[in-house]
Amino acid sequence: VDPHSQNLIHCPWMTNPLWNQDERRPRMLWRLCLQGTLFVFSVFVCFIPMVLMIIFFGDEKVFKDKKLLMSNPWLLFLMHLIFLGCQVGSTWVAVRFFDRRPLRDLGLRWNPSWPKDLCFGFFLGLASMTFIFLVEWMFGWVTVSGLFRTARPQDSWMAAMSLGLLMFTMVAFMEELQSRGYQLRNMAEGFNIGGRRPRLAMIMAVLATSLVFSAIHATNDNSSWVSTASLVIAGTVLALPVALTGE
């Protein structure tokens, strides 16, 4: 309460916590919830036909035995393709109708340095993972049990390797579009109340998206508090280029 005028200080968020009248769109929290719900719903709808086809024309045991599922590269590729389509589709719908902005505002825009940045990103990822593997191998933390082998003898090693590369590329694109694209952008805007502290809002958004990114991977096989905490750091590092360049 203002002691001089005895009137309530105007707070738009308290007046309408669901809708931003100035921006004419749902507030940040509800935009994130709507996009996440749309993604989960679209995955559920798309997976129903695939599951029915496998049950009636294939082998339903793949859904009961995770090792059997993970050993089928073609089925895994199809699943990742569905995830990719649902992620891109739900993000486009959210950006177009919830955010009311063009998709390029998430950083998906062409510029002359894009090929150079892409090649550097591929090189950095390859170099860092190679270094990590060599360190773990030297200390005996990992053991190489075979070369050029597949989980199923009937699968070609080259085909399985190519599909694996495509799947990891799709997963990387999905995670970046979700965490460092849609979530980071919306959180940075939502935390910047009144438009007075954009840098503080971006720092809060980077930390928040890193926590969400880590929590999503907390259910991975062999995960621990160490891996979960490390993913918070990894999420922060991955968000820095977006926060600094806007791309």
Side-chain angles (χ1 to χ4, degrees):
V1 179
D2 189 337
H4 300 287
S5 62
Q6 297 297 318
N7 294 324
L8 292 177
I9 297 175
H10 178 63
C11 182
W13 193 92
M14 294 297 294
T15 303
N16 193 339
L18 300 178
W19 184 262
N20 189 319
Q21 187 61 37
D22 295 333
E23 300 176 358
R24 301 186 62 82
R25 62 178 182 175
R27 296 196 180 277
M28 175 262 291
L29 177 61
W30 307 116
R31 296 199 301 270
L32 296 177
C33 291
L34 287 170
Q35 189 274 331
T37 302
L38 183 60
F39 170 71
V40 173
F41 177 76
S42 60
V43 168
F44 179 75
V45 171
C46 292
F47 262 85
I48 290 178
M50 188 189 77
V51 172
L52 293 177
M53 288 180 61
I54 292 176
I55 291 177
F56 286 106
F57 302 103
D59 187 0
E60 68 276 9
K61 293 181 180 179
V62 295
F63 297 108
K64 300 177 182 179
D65 188 349
K66 188 174 182 179
K67 291 183 178 179
L68 189 61
L69 174 63
M70 298 298 292
S71 65
N72 191 326
W74 297 102
L75 183 57
L76 282 176
F77 177 75
L78 178 59
M79 292 174 60
H80 282 77
L81 195 61
I82 292 175
F83 276 119
L84 176 63
C86 293
Q87 182 66 72
V88 174
S90 63
T91 302
W92 181 84
V93 171
V95 170
R96 177 67 177 82
F97 297 102
F98 304 153
D99 290 24
R100 297 177 180 269
R101 73 173 109 214
L103 191 62
R104 63 176 179 272
D105 282 3
L106 299 187
L108 298 175
R109 63 172 67 92
W110 173 265
N111 60 61
S113 64
W114 188 88
K116 181 179 65 176
D117 294 339
L118 179 64
C119 292
F120 176 77
F122 276 125
F123 170 78
L124 183 63
L126 178 63
S128 60
M129 294 309 299
T130 301
F131 175 76
I132 292 172
F133 169 77
L134 290 177
V135 171
E136 293 181 344
W137 178 66
M138 290 174 59
F139 283 92
W141 297 339
V142 294
T143 303
V144 179
S145 59
L147 296 174
F148 305 106
R149 296 181 182 179
T150 59
R152 302 190 310 174
Q154 67 268 30
D155 294 328
S156 166
W157 178 85
M158 183 59 69
M161 190 69 179
S162 300
L163 287 176
L165 179 61
L166 284 174
M167 285 187 289
F168 276 104
T169 302
M170 288 189 291
V171 170
F173 181 80
M174 286 188 292
E175 291 184 346
E176 293 307 305
L177 181 62
Q178 175 73 9
S179 298
R180 264 69 65 177
Y182 191 77
Q183 291 180 352
L184 181 64
R185 193 78 54 176
N186 276 279
M187 287 185 182
E189 294 174 351
F191 292 145
N192 188 23
I193 300 175
R196 299 175 181 177
R197 296 186 176 181
R199 291 185 179 181
L200 178 60
M202 179 59 72
I203 293 174
M204 294 173 61
V206 168
L207 294 177
T209 54
S210 299
L211 290 173
V212 173
F213 179 72
S214 177
I216 292 175
H217 292 81
T219 58
N220 288 358
D221 292 338
N222 302 316
S223 63
S224 63
W225 69 269
V226 176
S227 63
T228 303
S230 299
L231 282 172
V232 175
I233 301 175
T236 303
V237 173
L238 291 172
L240 285 178
V242 182
L244 295 175
T245 66
E247 300 291 339

